[in-house]
Amino acid sequence: MTKNDFIVTPWSVKGDIDYDKLVKQFGTKKLDEKLLKELKSITGGTHHYLRRKIFYSHMYLDEVLKDYRKDNKFYLYTGRAPSGPVHLGHMIPWIFTKWLQDNFDAHLLFQIPDEEKFLFKKDLTLEETRKWAYDNILDIIAVGFDPKKTHIFLDTEYAGHMYKHAVQVAKKINFSTIKSTFGFDNDKNIGEIFYTAMQSVPAILPSVLEGKKTRVLIPCAIDQDVHFRLTRDVAESLGYYKPATILCRFLPGLQGMSGEGKMSSSVESTAIYTTDDAKTVKNKILKYAFSGGRDTLEEHRKHGGNPEVDVSYQWLTFFEEDDAKLEKIYKDYKSGKLLSGELKMILVDKLNSFLAEHQKRRKEAEKIIEKFMLRD
Ligand code: TRP
């Protein structure tokens, strides 16, 4: 892989991602000013992920909003394939999903495909993915979703409701389409080939649950749109709307955008887990967070740092909501007034207060988990 190469699939992300190119590659749309204005006009507010183009692409969001204007409500749908602990990168789409739920008073289907990583990874058993499912659900609930409007399910526990829809989808997608869409070769197991049918189901379930054609908006990281492109190809012929998506970038891994492009649950030095304590967070940031600072204090004061490549600054664009504060940090770092170590400590404090809150709610989630679960 040369310096400018990158690969983004639902199962692998590598290299220095060019997000503009990715939109072209995937054939999705940019979130333009007109749509952002419409979102603002409906919600009466804005989210820093939108202002900073962290959520930056979509498919059919315009249709969803147009219908919403006519009093047709939509469902939200997102998911998480369990294979390990939740890290901060996973939380980004969920935090935004909660904002959407609050502002549109929408029901949310939260899929936990506990078979996905079992099928795609050699060494995981279904017992292990199930254990991680119930661990990860605590993080999901801790985001603060409305228990009356949020429905979480494991595929292996809700398959009775899902299967007949999955086969409807599956019958309309042939092997060569799956091969070319996902780049699969012949040694893929047949579970992997079928999987996208299961991920399609919650995009059509709301119409079944509501007893009428109902739109679905899926907030997720951009790598997942590929699945829903296939769902879109078949949805209308089955009598449903094409699912809409609103798509985000990845939170970069601690060591920066090249190499391991996003955080990885399995690579300790790239990720901060939601259960890390304050000291661990501090140590990881100080030790691993890629710095855009200069080699010597003297040079840094003279020439300033580079916030574009500095992971601590990049993370603050995700976690510091206050635009004015963020801008001051940007300017001070660029001018050399703010040092790398100081910037890192701003991030450490920010993350630790975020995590202290999250961990409190995560503990409380243990008591209310059953309010959220759907089972056969
Ligand atoms: N495939 C996703 C993952 O690897 C899990 C998932 C299932 C999902 N349904 C989804 C993600 C809908 C986003 C939206 O984690």
Side-chain angles (χ1 to χ4, degrees):
M1 204 151 80
T2 64
K3 200 182 154 291
N4 291 321
D5 283 351
F6 62 92
I7 301 171
V8 176
T9 78
W11 299 285
S12 160
V13 176
K14 289 207 172 71
D16 196 350
I17 304 167
D18 179 333
Y19 283 99
D20 288 336
K21 265 199 198 147
L22 205 54
V23 161
K24 290 205 185 93
Q25 245 177 49
F26 286 180
T28 61
K29 301 235 158 79
K30 285 258 185 92
L31 265 179
D32 58 16
E33 284 312 311
K34 191 168 155 242
L35 259 178
L36 288 172
K37 246 170 110 183
E38 175 66 351
L39 268 172
K40 195 169 178 179
S41 132
I42 294 176
T43 62
T46 139
H47 194 282
H48 65 290
Y49 293 172
L50 292 170
R51 296 198 298 277
R52 298 178 195 160
K53 305 208 180 303
I54 288 170
F55 271 82
Y56 81 114
S57 178
H58 79 101
M59 284 300 274
Y60 296 103
L61 176 64
D62 41 351
E63 301 289 325
V64 171
L65 297 182
K66 217 192 286 164
D67 265 10
Y68 183 82
R69 285 281 194 194
K70 293 185 208 146
D71 265 349
N72 293 314
K73 293 208 131 196
F74 61 88
Y75 270 55
L76 292 162
Y77 156 40
T78 193
R80 152 95 181 132
S83 63
V86 168
H87 60 54
L88 290 175
H90 298 129
M91 303 276 304
I92 305 305
W94 307 348
I95 292 168
F96 189 64
T97 302
K98 175 180 156 49
W99 183 81
L100 289 170
Q101 178 174 62
D102 290 347
N103 279 282
F104 290 91
D105 192 30
H107 277 278
L108 164 64
L109 292 181
F110 207 118
Q111 179 178 36
I112 314 283
D114 54 328
E115 82 281 39
E116 181 179 350
K117 296 288 165 66
F118 164 73
L119 291 167
F120 283 86
K121 285 191 168 189
K122 257 205 219 88
D123 298 328
L124 270 178
T125 65
L126 269 182
E127 289 69 38
E128 283 163 334
T129 58
R130 194 187 132 83
K131 178 187 129 285
W132 284 117
Y134 279 95
D135 167 274
N136 292 180
I137 285 170
L138 300 177
D139 289 298
I140 293 163
I141 292 173
V143 173
F145 295 115
D146 178 354
K148 288 200 195 69
K149 298 209 146 194
T150 304
H151 317 282
I152 306 175
F153 52 92
L154 274 61
D155 283 4
T156 61
E157 294 181 346
Y158 198 51
H161 283 77
M162 297 177 74
Y163 192 64
K164 67 177 180 189
H165 306 293
V167 294
Q168 296 280 350
V169 172
K171 192 172 180 177
K172 293 193 175 279
I173 304 175
N174 62 32
F175 187 22
S176 63
T177 301
I178 291 293
K179 272 182 156 175
S180 61
T181 304
F182 295 117
F184 286 179
D185 51 32
N186 279 338
D187 38 88
K188 283 292 174 190
N189 67 57
I190 60 176
E192 290 170 297
I193 298 161
F194 180 74
Y195 172 72
T196 199
M198 288 300 276
Q199 187 157 327
S200 294
V201 172
I204 57 186
L205 263 187
S207 297
V208 180
L209 296 169
E210 294 294 316
K212 62 170 192 221
K213 259 175 102 169
T214 302
R215 290 208 185 265
V216 174
L217 174 63
I218 308 167
C220 59
I222 188 153
D223 63 311
Q224 296 294 314
D225 191 74
V226 191
H227 285 293
F228 304 119
R229 195 163 81 211
L230 292 174
T231 320
R232 274 180 217 117
D233 286 344
V234 309
E236 282 177 335
S237 72
L238 291 171
Y240 306 107
Y241 289 120
K242 290 178 195 276
T245 47
I246 182 162
L247 305 162
C248 68
R249 304 163 191 261
F250 300 110
L251 179 68
L254 274 179
Q255 299 185 22
M257 336 262 183
S258 34
E260 209 55 57
K262 66 170 180 175
M263 276 198 181
S264 168
S265 303
S266 44
V267 191
E268 177 88 20
S269 58
T270 66
I272 287 183
Y273 302 110
T274 58
T275 50
D276 280 348
D277 62 25
K279 211 173 131 212
T280 306
V281 171
K282 183 174 165 192
N283 288 342
K284 281 187 183 173
I285 300 286
L286 293 183
K287 190 161 165 199
Y288 298 122
F290 184 81
S291 166
R294 302 280 172 168
D295 288 343
T296 65
L297 177 70
E298 211 185 1
E299 269 185 69
H300 189 89
R301 289 280 189 226
K302 197 164 155 204
H303 303 291
N306 180 358
E308 289 353 299
V309 300
D310 191 288
V311 167
S312 301
Y313 177 77
Q314 291 303 321
W315 278 33
L316 282 168
T317 67
F318 287 76
F319 289 98
E320 175 51 71
E321 294 175 31
D322 186 328
D323 290 347
K325 265 193 200 163
L326 188 70
E327 196 188 328
K328 182 161 174 11
I329 293 168
Y330 182 92
K331 283 194 178 141
D332 288 352
Y333 193 55
K334 222 176 151 87
S335 73
K337 193 169 153 202
L338 188 68
L339 301 177
S340 246
E342 293 166 335
L343 174 61
K344 285 188 174 198
M345 282 315 292
I346 295 174
L347 177 66
V348 168
D349 289 342
K350 193 81 215 170
L351 293 181
N352 279 336
S353 59
F354 172 85
L355 285 175
E357 267 303 303
H358 180 82
Q359 287 164 6
K360 211 165 67 200
R361 289 198 301 264
R362 194 180 192 280
K363 187 86 199 119
E364 287 160 12
E366 290 169 12
K367 287 179 247 146
I368 53 170
I369 183 166
E370 284 311 311
K371 288 192 188 169
F372 292 86
M373 299 305 296
L374 288 183
R375 295 195 186 86
D376 283 329

